[in-house]
Structure formats: C-alpha cells, structure tokens
Amino acid sequence: MSRLRVLALVVALVAAFLFAVAGPGTRLGLWDFRLGFTLLRWGAWLGMAGVVLALLALVVPASRRAGVLVPLFALALSAAVVYVPWSMVRRARSVPPIHDITTDVVDPPAFVDVLARRAGSPNSAVYGGDSIARQQQAAYPDVRTLELAIPPAQAFPRALEAAREMGWEIVAADTSAGRIEATATTRWFGFKDDVVVRIRPNGDGGGSRLDVRSVSRVGGSDVGANAERIRAYLRRLTSE
C-alpha cells in the first residue's frame, strides 16, 4: 500500500474520531463546549485534507494501481466528516443569530422556577425586546400562539403530557398559574435549553391560549433549534 493511500486513510480516521468525540465529550462534561466546537473544526479541516489526499490517491498512477477501495473509503469518510459541520454553518447563516424564541413576542412567558438552574449561564432569561422580536418574526412567522377550543383546566394536563412526550425534564407544573417549566437537552452536545409553557383563557370563556418560549443557556445563535422545538411541541399538541 502506497504512503499516499495510508496517509489519506489515517487522516480520514483521525478526522472522524475528532468529529465523533466532540459532542459526546461535551455532553459528558469531559471538556467545555468551546473545546468541543474546536475539535469539530479540527475534524472538518482534517476531513478536507482527507478528501484532497484521497482524490490524489485515486488519480496518481502508482497509488491507483494498488487499488481504489482504500482511497474511496477515505474519500467517503472524509466527505461525511466535512458535510455535517458545513451543513451546520450553512444552517446558522440562514437564520438570525438569536437564541430566545417565543410564540408571544409582545408578552413572552416568563421563567420562574427554572431561573435557579440558569444561574451563571451566559445567556439571560430576560427577553431582548423589539430587536429580537423583529428578527424572530422575519425568520419564523409561523411560530405563533396556539388557540385551543378547550378551557385551561383541560388544556393544562394535555400540555404537560405533550411536554413529557417531548423528552423534556419537567422542572415545575403550576396548575393555578397555568405554567409549565422544563429543560430540554440536545442529543449530541448535551446543550441545556429551557422551555416555559403558559396557558390562559382566550377571553371568550370557552377556550385557551397556549404560548411557548424556548431559550438556550449558551451560544449567541441556536441555529434554529428553539424554533423547531416549539414547532414540534405545537404539532404534538394539535395532533392529539
């Protein structure tokens, strides 16, 4: 096996290793999320190098004569490692750099019981006001208050069950206040995002208005995760 083929394979494997451990290591608390992102970037850079080396191994006659399976494997592995961070960056550039999303930008639901868990977090639980609201409405116009045809007393247990089905950790469920607070943990990096659900009468005495707010504890941009979480929750409620 030529040195070029070996080098392409080694670089691809190291890139894949860095990519594979970046998130789980952060989730397990082995290192800070900033180091996790750094490992992800190193993996992407090595992945790009692996793509180049694998392509060279496929076109250089001396290497090609030794067979194409190894360089093809290195090429596929390197390309996969590059694709995921690239898609994340592409997604981040397509959404506003915000991390606080709510169905009610005029009077967003407030956190109460979860505030102690957010102590020391870089991101505040205080809503950012008109600037954040305008960016959200431009990017996620579909994230709006959900009107339910049932009174709050019936809507609350339904909303609580849907929150549990989402896999969120329930922090508080105050029936008298019509407030549910929970924490959602992302699968790969284990980021903690806090969610509050507020249920009020809709004014006509027969229905409810349900609002949701999801806020990341760290990171300037949530890459659209909070909006998608709210959408998924509202879809679960309306599908029941």
Side-chain angles (χ1 to χ4, degrees):
M1 186 181 296
S2 70
R3 291 180 180 178
L4 186 57
R5 288 155 51 86
V6 172
L7 183 59
L9 180 60
V10 170
V11 169
L13 291 173
V14 173
F17 173 77
L18 293 177
F19 172 82
V21 302
T26 303
R27 185 186 180 97
L28 293 172
L30 300 179
W31 48 67
D32 183 79
F33 75 93
R34 296 176 184 84
L35 178 54
F37 282 159
T38 298
L39 293 175
L40 200 60
R41 284 195 296 271
W42 289 349
W45 293 333
L46 283 174
M48 288 186 280
V51 167
V52 173
L53 290 168
L55 289 173
L56 287 173
L58 287 170
V59 299
V60 171
S63 177
R64 186 178 178 83
R65 282 194 296 270
V68 298
L69 290 181
V70 170
L72 282 176
F73 173 76
L75 177 62
L77 185 59
S78 297
V81 171
V82 171
Y83 174 76
V84 176
W86 173 81
S87 64
M88 291 171 62
V89 171
R90 186 167 176 262
R91 171 64 176 164
R93 290 176 177 173
S94 69
V95 297
I98 56 178
H99 53 262
D100 189 343
I101 306 297
T102 176
T103 55
D104 187 347
V105 297
V106 176
D107 181 21
F111 291 102
V112 178
D113 294 272
V114 85
L115 291 177
R117 299 188 177 206
R118 294 183 64 92
S121 299
N123 293 342
S124 172
V126 178
Y127 191 65
D130 291 342
S131 173
I132 301 299
R134 285 193 298 270
Q135 293 182 74
Q136 176 191 314
Q137 289 173 321
Y140 315 116
D142 60 312
V143 177
R144 293 175 295 182
T145 299
L146 177 64
E147 299 282 350
L148 295 171
I150 54 177
Q154 296 179 28
F156 189 91
R158 180 172 164 181
L160 181 58
E161 180 60 25
R164 289 180 173 139
E165 290 174 354
M166 290 287 292
W168 301 342
E169 178 191 355
I170 306 302
V171 177
D174 189 335
T175 54
S176 61
R179 186 183 69 254
I180 299 167
E181 294 181 69
T183 298
T185 303
T186 62
R187 293 179 181 176
W188 192 23
F189 271 86
F191 290 131
K192 302 289 186 180
D193 298 336
D194 296 306
V195 184
V196 55
V197 179
R198 182 183 65 199
I199 304 168
R200 292 174 170 176
N202 65 0
D204 62 11
S208 307
R209 290 173 56 88
L210 185 146
D211 286 295
V212 191
R213 183 180 172 199
S214 184
V215 187
S216 302
R217 294 187 189 180
V218 299
S221 172
D222 63 9
V223 199
N226 287 302
E228 186 52 42
R229 179 178 296 113
I230 292 174
R231 288 180 182 130
Y233 178 69
L234 296 181
R235 283 196 300 267
R236 186 176 292 274
L237 277 171
T238 54
S239 65
E240 293 180 356

